[in-house]
Amino acid sequence: MKKYTFTEQKDTRSGFGAGLAELGRTNPNVVALCADLIGSLKMEKFIEENPERFFQIGIAEANMIGIAAGLTIGGKIPFTGTFANFSTGRVYDQIRQSVAYSDKNVKICASHAGLTLGEDGATHQILEDIGLMKMLPGMTVINTCDYNQTKAATIAIADYDGPVYLRFGRPVVPIFTPEDQKFEVGKAVQLTEGTDVTIVATGHLVWEALKASEELEAMGISAEVINIHTIKPLDEEAILKSVAKTGCIVTAEEHNIIGGLGESVSRVLVQNNLVPQEFVAVDDSFGESGTPAQLMEKYKLNDKAIVEATKKVISRK
């Protein structure tokens, strides 16, 4: 089995900042808007190099979405930036009407997603955003796993026509994907080959899935790990090809068990090949204050939880 290692850790939001800065140099139509969280979204370099293409909207997220939708009419490609909670829940009506229904080319970029926001607690830890956004017709939903992938995704979505929700996080996490990767919207990335179980993971859970696969290998279990960075449109072909070989699947995500990646995968299985599935996700609850590591342990969103889910799903084959 291929082994993955890392020599550096960075937050995925810094990957967004780096990608946005590069777009500022290469695509004159890219503009950026922020709701008073420049530092948290790592937008400083873009602003320094392109001050005339940045709009500080202040704590007025609904207004930010409306302005972004309007900017597309003149051919601009707006990237909005704030926390995931404020990027979705607070402004859902504006996204639905002005962006999704109107099919505007807005890139909604959301940091501090999931439990790993940490100490700010449940009011800021949105765990339902993937569900909210994937239900909107025409909305593309992307959830990246490390710094390099987030940077590549940020650059790629500028050339992808239509509304996009790009979800990333606050904590530093291992960098294990290639620096020079080509990011393809809607195309899953197979990280390891296996024959006993398919593990499809998204976001911060991809690294946990890789750690779990090594632990499983030591137990004599061969796991195929797939990085699902695009939750919508979902790479159904990659999932079905894998489960045809392994006969069971575990889904892993830093999101509510309701409405996330796992349920999207379930639909594919029901319609095509109904193999056993187990879920690693938040069990229909809000979060709480704590360090990212404490929260991932308590809410069972780590390698240990993936190993246990794998044992269970294999027993159901």
Side-chain angles (χ1 to χ4, degrees), residues 236-253:
E236 299 183 9
E237 182 181 353
I239 293 167
L240 291 171
K241 179 181 177 182
S242 182
V243 298
K245 176 173 54 173
T246 65
C248 64
I249 189 167
V250 172
T251 54
E253 58 192 310

Side-chain angles (χ1 to χ4, degrees), residues 96-118:
R96 183 182 186 274
Q97 308 289 36
S98 299
V99 177
Y101 175 67
S102 303
D103 193 28
K104 293 295 187 287
N105 193 31
V106 177
K107 315 307 176 185
I108 301 166
C109 303
S111 183
H112 293 56
L115 285 174
T116 49
L117 167 61

Side-chain angles (χ1 to χ4, degrees), residues 183-199:
F183 187 90
E184 295 184 61
V185 175
K187 188 69 173 176
V189 181
Q190 183 176 317
L191 299 177
T192 68
E193 291 188 13
T195 55
D196 296 325
V197 63
T198 299
I199 303 173

Side-chain angles (χ1 to χ4, degrees), residues 65-120:
I65 295 297
I67 293 170
L71 284 165
T72 66
I73 297 171
K76 300 303 180 186
I77 306 170
F79 282 65
T80 67
T82 186
F83 291 173
N85 194 25
F86 308 142
S87 290
T88 56
R90 178 170 288 183
V91 296
Y92 197 67
D93 182 54
Q94 283 72 26
I95 293 172
R96 183 182 186 274
Q97 308 289 36
S98 299
V99 177
Y101 175 67
S102 303
D103 193 28
K104 293 295 187 287
N105 193 31
V106 177
K107 315 307 176 185
I108 301 166
C109 303
S111 183
H112 293 56
L115 285 174
T116 49
L117 167 61
E119 290 83 354
D120 287 359

Side-chain angles (χ1 to χ4, degrees), residues 39-274:
S40 294
L41 271 290
K42 307 296 184 180
M43 300 172 87
E44 298 96 333
K45 182 59 75 172
F46 179 91
I47 298 167
E48 175 188 325
E49 297 178 358
N50 311 278
E52 76 288 353
R53 288 157 59 191
F54 173 74
F55 304 91
Q56 174 59 276
I57 309 303
I59 306 173
E61 293 86 355
N63 194 30
M64 178 174 69
I65 295 297
I67 293 170
L71 284 165
T72 66
I73 297 171
K76 300 303 180 186
I77 306 170
F79 282 65
T80 67
T82 186
F83 291 173
N85 194 25
F86 308 142
S87 290
T88 56
R90 178 170 288 183
V91 296
Y92 197 67
D93 182 54
Q94 283 72 26
I95 293 172
R96 183 182 186 274
Q97 308 289 36
S98 299
V99 177
Y101 175 67
S102 303
D103 193 28
K104 293 295 187 287
N105 193 31
V106 177
K107 315 307 176 185
I108 301 166
C109 303
S111 183
H112 293 56
L115 285 174
T116 49
L117 167 61
E119 290 83 354
D120 287 359
T123 57
H124 286 53
Q125 294 163 339
I126 194 160
L127 295 167
E128 56 274 15
D129 55 318
I130 290 173
L132 287 170
M133 300 304 278
K134 79 176 187 179
M135 286 190 294
L136 292 170
M139 180 68 69
T140 293
V141 179
I142 296 171
N143 186 38
T144 50
C145 67
D146 72 356
Y147 172 94
N148 287 341
Q149 189 171 82
T150 309
K151 180 180 178 181
T154 302
I155 295 167
I157 63 175
D159 293 325
Y160 187 83
D161 188 40
V164 175
Y165 179 59
L166 177 61
R167 181 191 207 246
F168 43 93
R170 179 187 192 182
V172 294
V173 293
I175 300 173
F176 59 94
T177 67
E179 185 176 358
D180 60 350
Q181 67 189 274
K182 176 178 171 54
F183 187 90
E184 295 184 61
V185 175
K187 188 69 173 176
V189 181
Q190 183 176 317
L191 299 177
T192 68
E193 291 188 13
T195 55
D196 296 325
V197 63
T198 299
I199 303 173
V200 295
T202 188
H204 294 146
L205 270 291
V206 177
W207 178 251
E208 298 299 320
L210 287 171
K211 289 196 296 181
S213 70
E214 293 193 11
E215 295 162 31
L216 290 164
E217 184 182 37
M219 302 174 192
I221 298 171
S222 173
E224 185 151 290
V225 178
I226 299 176
N227 174 3
I228 300 284
H229 53 64
T230 306
I231 294 168
K232 182 187 174 188
L234 187 64
D235 191 344
E236 299 183 9
E237 182 181 353
I239 293 167
L240 291 171
K241 179 181 177 182
S242 182
V243 298
K245 176 173 54 173
T246 65
C248 64
I249 189 167
V250 172
T251 54
E253 58 192 310
E254 187 185 349
H255 188 270
N256 195 339
I257 195 170
I258 298 170
L261 169 66
E263 285 198 347
S264 289
V265 170
S266 293
R267 177 187 57 80
V268 174
L269 300 179
V270 166
Q271 291 178 324
N272 295 276
N273 183 6
L274 189 55

